[in-house]
Amino acid sequence: MKTHHRLLLTGAAGGLGTALRERLKANCTVLRLSDKSAFGEALPGEEIVLADLANAVEVDAMVAGCDAIVHLGGISVEAPFEAILQANILGVYHLYEAARKHGVKRVVFASSNHVTGFYKQSETITADHPARPDSYYGVSKAFGEDFSRFYFDRYGIETACVRIGSSFPEPRDRRMLATWLSFDDLHRLISACLSTPVLGHSIVFGMSDNAVTWWDNSRARHIGYVPQDSSDVFREAVFARTPAPDLNDPAAIYQGGGFVKATP
Amino acid sequence: MKTHHRLLLTGAAGGLGTALRERLKANCTVLRLSDKSAFGEALPGEEIVLADLANAVEVDAMVAGCDAIVHLGGISVEAPFEAILQANILGVYHLYEAARKHGVKRVVFASSNHVTGFYKQSETITADHPARPDSYYGVSKAFGEDFSRFYFDRYGIETACVRIGSSFPEPRDRRMLATWLSFDDLHRLISACLSTPVLGHSIVFGMSDNAVTWWDNSRARHIGYVPQDSSDVFREAVFARTPAPDLNDPAAIYQGGGFVKATP
Amino acid sequence: MKTHHRLLLTGAAGGLGTALRERLKANCTVLRLSDKSAFGEALPGEEIVLADLANAVEVDAMVAGCDAIVHLGGISVEAPFEAILQANILGVYHLYEAARKHGVKRVVFASSNHVTGFYKQSETITADHPARPDSYYGVSKAFGEDFSRFYFDRYGIETACVRIGSSFPEPRDRRMLATWLSFDDLHRLISACLSTPVLGHSIVFGMSDNAVTWWDNSRARHIGYVPQDSSDVFREAVFARTPAPDLNDPAAIYQGGGFVKATP
Amino acid sequence: MKTHHRLLLTGAAGGLGTALRERLKANCTVLRLSDKSAFGEALPGEEIVLADLANAVEVDAMVAGCDAIVHLGGISVEAPFEAILQANILGVYHLYEAARKHGVKRVVFASSNHVTGFYKQSETITADHPARPDSYYGVSKAFGEDFSRFYFDRYGIETACVRIGSSFPEPRDRRMLATWLSFDDLHRLISACLSTPVLGHSIVFGMSDNAVTWWDNSRARHIGYVPQDSSDVFREAVFARTPAPDLNDPAAIYQGGGFVKATP
Amino acid sequence: MKTHHRLLLTGAAGGLGTALRERLKANCTVLRLSDKSAFGEALPGEEIVLADLANAVEVDAMVAGCDAIVHLGGISVEAPFEAILQANILGVYHLYEAARKHGVKRVVFASSNHVTGFYKQSETITADHPARPDSYYGVSKAFGEDFSRFYFDRYGIETACVRIGSSFPEPRDRRMLATWLSFDDLHRLISACLSTPVLGHSIVFGMSDNAVTWWDNSRARHIGYVPQDSSDVFREAVFARTPAPDLNDPAAIYQGGGFVKATP
Amino acid sequence: MKTHHRLLLTGAAGGLGTALRERLKANCTVLRLSDKSAFGEALPGEEIVLADLANAVEVDAMVAGCDAIVHLGGISVEAPFEAILQANILGVYHLYEAARKHGVKRVVFASSNHVTGFYKQSETITADHPARPDSYYGVSKAFGEDFSRFYFDRYGIETACVRIGSSFPEPRDRRMLATWLSFDDLHRLISACLSTPVLGHSIVFGMSDNAVTWWDNSRARHIGYVPQDSSDVFREAVFARTPAPDLNDPAAIYQGGGFVKATP
């Protein structure tokens, strides 16, 4: 359903942005694409507004005229803190300030499982478990969740914080049997966030209907996300090409996987 | 399955009563229908006993000889308190007193989502969340839940309090995407309540398998209700014919919808 | 502190009303006393307005002009349902309607431990545990709690539901070692309810600082009640004059004591 | 998937052992079968090592060389305490000591719903609810759960404690509508325990996808068990051949059924 | 108060037995002392019945004629499993069987903080947290808690499982600032267990009113234990004579202290 | 007790820094004071190292050689986001990086009640409730809590996040009856954080022993904080000089008080 007229997609040139570009046209009349650097021409039904998230003026122009935002922009891996500070912390401030000024009332914010990466792989967590970030990146996503909560409580801007697991064409390793989110399910989840009548400020884990999982989305039922893919069809292949985990390795102990020992 | 010989259906002339009249014949040998005023002739397999719930003698006669009760009777919308007092408060007392005297051991009580109507549409609640009624009607249903709990703890009469959402042929507005309960699912739910080996005193939310929902029935798994319909097939049509909710309107903020600001 | 100008005390001629009559003068300039039947003359600082709670006009006159209400009125023991319906259900409706019409914004409502009388004496419960009333009386108090919640959510009238344990000069039996509430602590609790800056709608168990207890007031800390008496000083005397409980007797198993098997 | 080279199945001559014998060959290269007494010849892909669980030396030899263990051995019904002490308590100690010495890192331990048999049939419990065993047998299984937790926390041996409901070809009575676990689902569950990348120490209820259930496996999602059978197809037949439960009978009140009143 | 006529104290010759011997005379008319081996003569108000807990006949004689039991007997440190099996597992069975046969209805069972020794020293736990024993000894105490729960649910024998922290004349190290239980508070706690009107089956942590603590006794308020001593007066002295903990040492990480790495 | 040799106090020139300067000398041999700008001479037992928190080199020098840190520095009121970003976000990164490099293992971090300022004044919250910051300032303190959690999970640096209420010589308004923290209690709390044997990463609300409170410190008992002051002695005076709150004002509805509507 085309629930919005002009929908902004940030981080449009990245992996997930590319996967969503075609799919999100179903949700809007005009899809505005944005990224930091030029990435080609707008196709029919699209428009492109480049912006550096650390630049308030550019972000303001990027947001002006939009009805809703899918915010994938910023840094999505571990990186030096100063870089993350600009893109993911200052950038979030700029984005929400622009939303506030221009009356945008709904945002889908790409958060991450790395907000809670220091929980164990044998634990089930909900959105109410306290943050245990596993990286500067994870801390910056926790910041985004708290910041958007503030703008909801203060200004009524609704946000879905989607803690994306591992969104790739298929699961790459055994950990991703739990964390995998197909591109189609990612789109289904974003569509649900955009179209549910009342969103509020919500945290939802972004995963497909995998048999193995560590996350409980029962506090986000009002969003209406129903995944239709599953990592299970890839299970045997993944087992065949990957070694058994070393259970003494923090990357196997904790949900964050390799992030829990990454250095930027 | 015909789990009971003579099953009493109160409120048989109302909307839900009419929808259940044919369906409930599958659950019993004799379906006794009751309402306040005459509503036609008994069909094969039926019998009719009229009763005013505020009249103890009539209620006693209505209950005598039955094996189980599906209690839809009383007022099911907001109304002046005095009217609700008679039908839904005094009436519940009369009904359970009759059940106690005549040895009826299982009741399906039509409670309502308006018992918890002042929770927010972005919250998920369980049967253990404290009541937050949104109307005199909602308060009267909270009373029925508490009263039946008392008769279970004191006299062992089992009751399922079914907090019916919105049971109509199809969802009428966006709120009902969450609250809709098809007539067939309503019947499935009542059948489950009538046939589960041990019911105890249980509260269960009456909703179909809708993608968007605010209610968690995990405390009522022993009932064995498995919905098979969903509001989702109506989603696009509902969006097409209804406006987006005003998120500053209490009717959009709270689960009870329009009831939270209704005056009798 | 005199936090209110004119304070209404209903049930003023009863046991607790008599105990509070002198004490509550410290909380107001004018103490308006009310009961169903005449009980003597007003003393200095007092005024008397008689009212039958089942009579809307009399209740309206009783409430008019008051700034806050301490509602002890109605039936406080097990009784036939019809009598309880008039005094404790219809009466609560009348009282809150009068409060709404006359702009009274704070009520202290005498609820009862019999709202949760069917919990076990070896359980600890909070205000969030679902009601398990042990009597018609207990059901009526659960009704009052739900009704006042509705009037808070709808109209902003703050209420403290005080689930009074056993308020007597001293504990009469072994059960009261847990449930005892001294008159002074009752007054401290009501004073806290009247003077805390923000009350909201709150449920608080009314008990002294007894060593043995079944109730956890941790959700009511914003009220600021600090009990200063304890049943412990009476412990040896109570043991000396009372028999050991029969642990197969429902009156010893359940918190409600004798109420769980009382017949009106 | 053949996730292990040599897999030990204890209790191989019992009812469940027999059901699993053929099925578990899919999980390993060599299936080592063990029981207390001789039960025939090894078939291709099998080897047999008899052992009395009460005999440390025999248990050690049974475990030596294995990569993982499915421990069904011991007594699986109510019995005199001294017998249970040998088989289920001393036996568990012997088994885990052997696993520790020989470097076995994963065990599937056949626990039982009788660990929590004194919860009510109208309650839903999770793995975090405290044990309420209903028999010496149930106490011994609670012991095994605690013992394996100790060996996980101390030595890193992963265990899945599978609280098996009622695993038979089909449900025998109305209670088993809730507790039934088909042989295929039992095998699916054990396979999931053997193959999930990270198991930790986990408790999981062993039941099929029954409509009526008392158990919530949401804390064991990391195991990835997806049942595919259901007792529901047997429902009408079970009702037809069994009487309605007597709700005053402890065997109908409590989840443990007949065990709650069994004497060894 | 002398709440019982003949009170049995097992383990009477041990450290805590000795500390309680004199104190418990206040609770009974006759104090029956028992231990495995002879430990001197009975003083006035005492009687001595020796018994090996592994010997059913001796335990039966020890229990016969008593009204209540304080069970400190058995092994109270880490030890080979076979020894613990005899004293703490078989012994508990013998004790409760004797209690059942002779109609003893209340037991105070010396459990241990080592039932939950694998929780962290920065965690607060309640009696509802699942067991995480740190030793064979801890597992055996978890067994005793489960076994006594069974005998309560089945036979109505009330038990207080007292998870004793560190009961010594004064705290010996920094860990004991949290776990210390003075002898007087131990006696207060046992007295509360013996005299509370309704005990049920309860788990209570045995600690004094220490500032630093890891344990929350809020589920045991019905016992009425009010500690009056505190480790704080020893704090400076303990700091002066002990080194700072090595936070990488499991003995400092986990509540069980040295037990988490003890070998029998 | 002097638990540390060289203790760093940042924000030493501010209100709380000034109050703590003399008191903290009891906790260390050398008290290193730091602030952004010169604030006078070091007294005996003190040394001064100025540093701008936004300057990594200066922060490194400030931390070098210290054994523990009490971090009050940064902005402690609502301010433009860019300023808060430098002092409270980048500053926290600099501080913990310096701590990591120099082997400082314990930090007391001045967090704030404004991390949870959008909870209601009639709610009781614990440290596990999700953040609901009420200001840029509150968001920045939530960031510090998450960041220090990351450095604990990754590097083992222990932090106490002290959510300071209102620390002034005496409560200034009715809200502070709940939030007040006397200077002496602030010092007691910091001393407890510095001296508890095992701190972990903990969140603790900083309040005196006020009768009215919104915060539950039961998850921080291992810290051993025992407040000894109370706002209650100021209650009458505060009531006398301040108006009753307007319950429709967000500053009275929410715990954050005026911060929930402050603009920088």
Side-chain angles (χ1 to χ4, degrees):
Chain A
M1 286 187 300
K2 292 189 182 300
T3 50
H4 294 86
H5 175 63
R6 179 172 277 104
L7 178 65
L8 169 64
L9 173 67
T10 71
L16 296 191
T18 303
L20 287 170
R21 184 171 174 172
E22 194 54 36
R23 289 172 172 90
L24 280 177
K25 287 181 189 171
N27 303 74
C28 57
T29 316
V30 180
L31 181 65
R32 178 178 291 181
L33 304 168
S34 181
D35 212 299
K36 195 172 180 179
S37 311
F39 57 96
E41 300 296 310
L43 301 175
E46 299 176 348
E47 61 187 28
I48 293 180
V49 181
L50 300 183
D52 179 346
L53 291 164
N55 183 312
V57 173
E58 293 179 14
V59 171
D60 190 87
M62 173 183 80
V63 168
C66 293
D67 303 300
I69 302 173
V70 176
H71 181 50
L72 307 184
I75 296 174
S76 62
V77 292
E78 186 56 331
F81 185 76
E82 291 82 358
I84 283 178
L85 186 79
Q86 294 299 315
N88 291 14
I89 294 182
L90 185 57
V92 157
Y93 164 70
H94 287 155
L95 187 89
Y96 277 89
E97 268 296 278
R100 182 181 68 78
K101 287 177 189 161
H102 295 290
V104 180
K105 301 306 280 183
R106 188 168 290 192
V107 179
V108 179
F109 169 62
S111 184
S112 168
N113 73 84
H114 297 289
V115 168
T116 49
F118 261 115
Y119 284 93
K120 293 190 177 171
Q121 295 198 10
S122 52
E123 287 180 288
T124 299
I125 60 170
T126 72
D128 284 350
H129 278 67
R132 289 200 182 174
D134 58 17
S135 53
Y136 296 139
Y137 168 65
V139 171
S140 76
K141 290 300 179 183
F143 170 87
E145 294 186 1
D146 290 339
F147 193 95
S148 56
R149 176 86 220 182
F150 169 43
Y151 268 53
F152 174 67
D153 284 334
R154 179 71 78 88
Y155 302 114
I157 300 174
E158 294 187 303
T159 293
C161 301
V162 180
R163 289 187 182 162
I164 297 172
S166 305
S167 197
F168 295 101
E170 57 182 81
R172 295 177 170 176
D173 57 29
R174 297 190 188 190
R175 175 178 168 272
M176 288 193 192
L177 294 175
T179 62
W180 189 62
L181 174 66
S182 75
F183 291 148
D184 283 336
D185 276 344
L186 172 59
H187 179 240
R188 284 181 193 107
L189 174 46
I190 291 174
S191 296
C193 294
L194 289 172
S195 68
T196 191
V198 179
L199 176 62
H201 182 272
S202 302
I203 296 172
V204 58
F205 292 94
M207 56 185 172
S208 286
D209 185 26
N210 310 319
V212 172
T213 180
W214 311 320
W215 305 324
D216 175 343
N217 266 336
S218 60
R219 278 160 188 73
R221 298 175 191 204
H222 61 292
I223 293 177
Y225 167 52
V226 183
Q228 297 181 21
D229 297 318
S230 166
S231 67
D232 298 353
V233 296
F234 303 99
R235 191 179 180 110
E236 284 198 51
V238 167
F239 267 69
R241 70 171 185 258
T242 59
D246 171 5
L247 297 182
N248 294 315
D249 180 355
I253 295 173
Y254 296 107
Q255 296 187 2
F259 273 62
V260 305
K261 51 183 189 180
T263 45
Chain B
M1 287 187 301
K2 292 191 181 300
T3 50
H4 294 85
H5 176 63
R6 180 173 277 102
L7 178 64
L8 170 62
L9 174 66
T10 71
L16 297 191
T18 303
L20 287 170
R21 184 171 175 172
E22 193 55 34
R23 290 173 172 89
L24 279 177
K25 288 182 187 169
N27 303 74
C28 57
T29 316
V30 180
L31 181 64
R32 178 177 292 180
L33 305 168
S34 180
D35 211 300
K36 196 171 179 178
S37 310
F39 57 97
E41 297 297 309
L43 301 175
E46 298 176 348
E47 61 187 26
I48 293 180
V49 180
L50 300 182
D52 180 345
L53 292 165
N55 183 313
V57 174
E58 293 179 14
V59 171
D60 189 271
M62 171 184 80
V63 168
C66 293
D67 304 299
I69 302 172
V70 176
H71 180 52
L72 306 185
I75 296 173
S76 60
V77 291
E78 186 57 330
F81 185 77
E82 291 81 358
I84 283 179
L85 186 79
Q86 293 300 313
N88 291 14
I89 294 181
L90 185 57
V92 157
Y93 164 70
H94 287 155
L95 186 90
Y96 277 89
E97 267 297 275
R100 183 181 69 77
K101 286 177 188 161
H102 294 291
V104 180
K105 302 304 279 184
R106 188 168 290 192
V107 179
V108 179
F109 168 63
S111 184
S112 168
N113 73 84
H114 297 289
V115 169
T116 47
F118 261 115
Y119 286 92
K120 293 190 177 170
Q121 295 198 10
S122 52
E123 287 180 288
T124 300
I125 61 171
T126 73
D128 284 350
H129 278 67
R132 289 200 182 174
D134 59 16
S135 52
Y136 296 140
Y137 169 64
V139 172
S140 77
K141 289 300 178 182
F143 170 87
E145 293 187 2
D146 290 338
F147 192 94
S148 57
R149 175 85 220 182
F150 169 43
Y151 267 52
F152 174 68
D153 284 332
R154 179 69 79 89
Y155 302 115
I157 299 174
E158 294 186 303
T159 292
C161 301
V162 180
R163 289 187 183 161
I164 296 172
S166 305
S167 200
F168 294 101
E170 57 181 82
R172 295 176 171 178
D173 56 30
R174 299 191 187 191
R175 175 178 168 272
M176 288 194 192
L177 293 176
T179 62
W180 189 62
L181 174 67
S182 75
F183 291 149
D184 284 335
D185 276 342
L186 172 61
H187 178 241
R188 287 183 191 105
L189 175 46
I190 291 174
S191 296
C193 295
L194 289 172
S195 70
T196 192
V198 179
L199 176 62
H201 182 272
S202 302
I203 296 171
V204 57
F205 293 93
M207 57 186 169
S208 287
D209 184 26
N210 309 320
V212 172
T213 181
W214 312 320
W215 305 324
D216 175 344
N217 266 335
S218 60
R219 278 160 189 73
R221 297 173 193 207
H222 63 290
I223 294 176
Y225 167 52
V226 183
Q228 296 180 22
D229 297 319
S230 168
S231 67
D232 299 352
V233 297
F234 303 101
R235 192 179 180 111
E236 283 199 50
V238 168
F239 268 69
R241 71 170 183 258
T242 59
D246 169 5
L247 296 182
N248 295 314
D249 179 356
I253 295 172
Y254 296 108
Q255 296 188 1
F259 273 62
V260 305
K261 49 185 190 178
T263 46
Chain C
M1 287 187 301
K2 291 189 182 302
T3 49
H4 295 84
H5 176 64
R6 179 172 278 105
L7 177 65
L8 169 63
L9 174 67
T10 72
L16 297 191
T18 304
L20 285 171
R21 182 173 177 173
E22 193 56 35
R23 288 173 173 89
L24 279 177
K25 288 182 187 169
N27 303 74
C28 57
T29 317
V30 180
L31 182 65
R32 178 179 293 180
L33 304 168
S34 180
D35 211 301
K36 194 171 179 179
S37 311
F39 56 97
E41 299 296 310
L43 302 176
E46 299 176 350
E47 62 187 27
I48 292 179
V49 180
L50 300 183
D52 180 345
L53 291 165
N55 183 314
V57 173
E58 293 179 14
V59 171
D60 189 272
M62 171 183 82
V63 168
C66 293
D67 304 300
I69 302 172
V70 176
H71 180 51
L72 306 184
I75 295 173
S76 61
V77 292
E78 187 55 331
F81 185 77
E82 291 81 358
I84 283 179
L85 186 78
Q86 294 300 313
N88 292 13
I89 293 181
L90 186 56
V92 156
Y93 164 70
H94 288 155
L95 187 89
Y96 277 89
E97 268 295 277
R100 183 180 69 78
K101 287 177 189 161
H102 295 290
V104 180
K105 302 305 280 183
R106 190 168 288 192
V107 179
V108 179
F109 169 61
S111 184
S112 166
N113 72 84
H114 297 289
V115 168
T116 49
F118 261 115
Y119 285 93
K120 292 190 177 172
Q121 294 198 10
S122 53
E123 287 180 289
T124 300
I125 60 171
T126 72
D128 284 351
H129 277 67
R132 290 201 181 172
D134 60 16
S135 52
Y136 296 140
Y137 168 65
V139 172
S140 77
K141 290 301 180 181
F143 170 87
E145 294 187 2
D146 290 337
F147 193 94
S148 57
R149 176 84 221 185
F150 169 43
Y151 268 51
F152 174 67
D153 284 332
R154 180 70 78 89
Y155 303 115
I157 299 174
E158 296 186 303
T159 292
C161 301
V162 180
R163 289 187 182 162
I164 297 172
S166 305
S167 198
F168 294 101
E170 59 181 80
R172 294 176 170 178
D173 56 30
R174 297 189 188 193
R175 176 179 167 273
M176 288 193 191
L177 293 175
T179 61
W180 189 62
L181 173 67
S182 75
F183 292 148
D184 284 336
D185 276 343
L186 172 60
H187 179 241
R188 284 181 193 107
L189 175 47
I190 292 174
S191 295
C193 294
L194 290 172
S195 70
T196 192
V198 179
L199 176 62
H201 182 272
S202 302
I203 297 172
V204 57
F205 292 94
M207 57 186 171
S208 286
D209 185 25
N210 309 320
V212 172
T213 180
W214 311 321
W215 306 324
D216 176 342
N217 266 335
S218 60
R219 280 161 189 71
R221 297 173 193 207
H222 62 291
I223 294 176
Y225 168 52
V226 183
Q228 296 181 21
D229 296 319
S230 167
S231 67
D232 299 352
V233 297
F234 303 100
R235 192 178 181 109
E236 283 199 52
V238 167
F239 267 69
R241 71 171 183 257
T242 60
D246 170 5
L247 296 182
N248 295 314
D249 180 356
I253 294 173
Y254 296 108
Q255 295 187 3
F259 273 62
V260 304
K261 51 184 188 179
T263 44
Chain D
M1 287 187 300
K2 292 189 181 300
T3 50
H4 295 86
H5 177 63
R6 180 172 276 101
L7 177 66
L8 170 62
L9 173 66
T10 72
L16 297 191
T18 303
L20 286 171
R21 184 172 175 172
E22 194 54 36
R23 288 173 172 89
L24 280 177
K25 287 183 189 171
N27 303 76
C28 56
T29 317
V30 180
L31 181 64
R32 179 178 290 180
L33 304 168
S34 181
D35 211 300
K36 194 172 179 178
S37 311
F39 57 97
E41 298 297 308
L43 302 175
E46 299 177 348
E47 61 187 27
I48 293 180
V49 180
L50 301 183
D52 181 345
L53 291 165
N55 183 312
V57 173
E58 293 179 14
V59 171
D60 189 270
M62 172 183 80
V63 168
C66 293
D67 303 300
I69 302 171
V70 176
H71 181 51
L72 307 184
I75 297 173
S76 61
V77 293
E78 186 55 330
F81 185 77
E82 291 81 359
I84 282 179
L85 186 79
Q86 294 300 313
N88 290 15
I89 293 181
L90 186 56
V92 157
Y93 164 69
H94 287 156
L95 186 90
Y96 276 89
E97 267 296 275
R100 183 182 68 77
K101 287 177 189 162
H102 294 290
V104 180
K105 302 304 280 182
R106 189 169 289 190
V107 179
V108 179
F109 169 62
S111 185
S112 168
N113 72 84
H114 297 289
V115 168
T116 48
F118 261 116
Y119 285 93
K120 292 190 176 171
Q121 295 197 11
S122 52
E123 287 179 289
T124 300
I125 61 171
T126 72
D128 284 349
H129 278 68
R132 291 202 181 173
D134 59 16
S135 53
Y136 296 140
Y137 168 64
V139 171
S140 77
K141 290 300 179 184
F143 170 88
E145 293 186 1
D146 290 339
F147 193 95
S148 57
R149 175 85 220 183
F150 169 42
Y151 267 52
F152 174 68
D153 283 333
R154 179 71 78 89
Y155 302 115
I157 298 175
E158 294 186 303
T159 292
C161 301
V162 180
R163 290 187 182 162
I164 296 172
S166 306
S167 198
F168 295 102
E170 57 181 82
R172 296 176 170 176
D173 56 29
R174 296 190 188 192
R175 176 181 168 270
M176 287 194 194
L177 293 175
T179 62
W180 188 61
L181 174 67
S182 76
F183 291 148
D184 283 336
D185 276 344
L186 171 60
H187 178 242
R188 284 182 193 106
L189 175 46
I190 292 175
S191 296
C193 295
L194 289 172
S195 70
T196 191
V198 178
L199 177 61
H201 182 272
S202 302
I203 297 172
V204 58
F205 292 93
M207 56 185 172
S208 286
D209 184 25
N210 309 321
V212 172
T213 180
W214 311 320
W215 306 325
D216 176 343
N217 267 335
S218 60
R219 278 159 189 73
R221 297 174 193 207
H222 62 291
I223 293 177
Y225 168 52
V226 182
Q228 297 180 20
D229 297 319
S230 167
S231 68
D232 299 351
V233 296
F234 304 100
R235 192 179 181 108
E236 284 198 51
V238 168
F239 267 70
R241 71 170 185 259
T242 59
D246 170 4
L247 296 182
N248 294 315
D249 180 356
I253 295 172
Y254 296 108
Q255 297 187 2
F259 273 62
V260 306
K261 52 184 189 179
T263 46
Chain E
M1 286 186 301
K2 291 190 183 301
T3 50
H4 294 86
H5 176 63
R6 180 171 278 103
L7 178 66
L8 170 63
L9 174 66
T10 72
L16 297 191
T18 304
L20 286 170
R21 184 172 176 171
E22 194 55 35
R23 288 173 173 89
L24 279 177
K25 288 183 188 170
N27 302 74
C28 58
T29 317
V30 180
L31 181 65
R32 179 177 291 180
L33 304 168
S34 181
D35 211 301
K36 194 172 181 180
S37 311
F39 57 96
E41 298 297 310
L43 301 175
E46 299 176 347
E47 62 188 25
I48 292 180
V49 181
L50 300 183
D52 181 346
L53 291 166
N55 183 312
V57 175
E58 293 179 15
V59 172
D60 189 271
M62 173 183 80
V63 167
C66 293
D67 304 300
I69 302 172
V70 176
H71 181 50
L72 307 184
I75 296 173
S76 62
V77 291
E78 186 55 331
F81 184 76
E82 291 80 358
I84 282 179
L85 186 79
Q86 294 300 314
N88 291 15
I89 293 181
L90 186 57
V92 156
Y93 164 69
H94 288 156
L95 186 90
Y96 276 90
E97 266 296 279
R100 183 181 67 80
K101 288 178 190 161
H102 294 291
V104 180
K105 301 305 278 182
R106 189 168 288 192
V107 179
V108 180
F109 169 62
S111 184
S112 168
N113 72 85
H114 296 290
V115 169
T116 47
F118 261 115
Y119 285 93
K120 292 190 177 172
Q121 295 198 11
S122 51
E123 287 180 289
T124 300
I125 60 171
T126 72
D128 284 351
H129 278 66
R132 290 202 182 172
D134 59 15
S135 52
Y136 295 140
Y137 168 64
V139 171
S140 77
K141 290 301 181 183
F143 170 87
E145 293 186 1
D146 289 338
F147 193 96
S148 56
R149 176 84 219 183
F150 169 43
Y151 267 52
F152 174 68
D153 284 333
R154 178 70 79 88
Y155 303 115
I157 300 174
E158 293 186 304
T159 292
C161 300
V162 180
R163 290 189 182 159
I164 297 172
S166 306
S167 199
F168 294 101
E170 58 182 81
R172 293 177 171 178
D173 56 29
R174 296 189 188 192
R175 176 179 167 271
M176 289 192 192
L177 294 175
T179 62
W180 189 61
L181 175 66
S182 76
F183 292 148
D184 283 337
D185 276 344
L186 171 60
H187 179 241
R188 284 181 193 108
L189 175 46
I190 292 174
S191 296
C193 295
L194 290 171
S195 69
T196 191
V198 178
L199 176 61
H201 182 272
S202 302
I203 297 172
V204 58
F205 292 93
M207 57 185 171
S208 286
D209 184 26
N210 309 320
V212 172
T213 180
W214 311 319
W215 305 324
D216 175 343
N217 266 335
S218 60
R219 280 159 189 72
R221 298 175 192 206
H222 62 290
I223 294 177
Y225 167 51
V226 184
Q228 297 181 21
D229 297 319
S230 167
S231 67
D232 299 352
V233 296
F234 303 100
R235 191 180 182 109
E236 282 199 51
V238 167
F239 267 69
R241 71 170 184 258
T242 59
D246 170 5
L247 295 183
N248 295 315
D249 181 357
I253 295 172
Y254 296 108
Q255 296 187 3
F259 273 62
V260 304
K261 51 183 190 179
T263 46
Chain F
M1 287 187 300
K2 292 188 181 302
T3 50
H4 294 85
H5 177 63
R6 178 172 279 103
L7 178 65
L8 170 64
L9 173 66
T10 71
L16 297 191
T18 303
L20 286 171
R21 183 171 177 173
E22 193 55 35
R23 288 172 173 90
L24 279 178
K25 287 183 189 170
N27 302 75
C28 58
T29 317
V30 180
L31 181 65
R32 178 178 291 181
L33 304 169
S34 181
D35 211 299
K36 193 172 181 178
S37 312
F39 57 97
E41 299 296 311
L43 301 175
E46 299 176 348
E47 61 188 27
I48 293 180
V49 180
L50 300 183
D52 180 345
L53 290 165
N55 183 313
V57 173
E58 292 179 16
V59 171
D60 190 270
M62 172 183 80
V63 168
C66 293
D67 302 301
I69 302 173
V70 176
H71 181 50
L72 306 185
I75 295 173
S76 61
V77 292
E78 185 56 329
F81 185 75
E82 291 80 359
I84 282 178
L85 185 79
Q86 293 299 315
N88 290 16
I89 293 182
L90 185 58
V92 157
Y93 164 69
H94 287 156
L95 187 90
Y96 276 90
E97 266 297 275
R100 184 181 67 79
K101 288 178 188 161
H102 295 290
V104 180
K105 303 304 281 184
R106 189 167 289 192
V107 179
V108 179
F109 168 64
S111 185
S112 168
N113 73 83
H114 297 290
V115 169
T116 48
F118 261 115
Y119 286 93
K120 293 190 177 171
Q121 294 198 11
S122 53
E123 287 179 288
T124 300
I125 61 170
T126 72
D128 284 350
H129 278 66
R132 290 201 182 173
D134 58 15
S135 52
Y136 295 139
Y137 169 65
V139 172
S140 77
K141 289 302 179 183
F143 170 87
E145 294 186 2
D146 290 337
F147 193 95
S148 56
R149 176 84 220 184
F150 170 42
Y151 267 52
F152 174 67
D153 284 332
R154 178 71 78 88
Y155 303 114
I157 300 175
E158 295 186 303
T159 293
C161 302
V162 181
R163 289 187 183 161
I164 296 172
S166 305
S167 198
F168 294 102
E170 58 180 81
R172 294 175 171 179
D173 55 30
R174 297 191 188 191
R175 176 178 167 272
M176 288 193 193
L177 293 175
T179 61
W180 189 62
L181 173 67
S182 76
F183 291 149
D184 283 337
D185 276 344
L186 172 60
H187 179 241
R188 284 180 192 107
L189 175 46
I190 292 174
S191 296
C193 295
L194 290 171
S195 69
T196 190
V198 178
L199 176 62
H201 182 271
S202 302
I203 296 172
V204 58
F205 292 93
M207 56 185 172
S208 286
D209 185 26
N210 310 320
V212 172
T213 179
W214 311 319
W215 305 324
D216 175 343
N217 267 334
S218 60
R219 279 160 189 72
R221 297 175 193 205
H222 62 289
I223 294 177
Y225 168 52
V226 183
Q228 297 181 21
D229 297 319
S230 167
S231 67
D232 299 351
V233 296
F234 304 100
R235 192 179 181 109
E236 284 199 50
V238 167
F239 267 69
R241 71 169 184 258
T242 59
D246 170 5
L247 295 182
N248 294 315
D249 179 357
I253 294 172
Y254 296 108
Q255 295 187 2
F259 273 62
V260 306
K261 50 184 189 179
T263 45

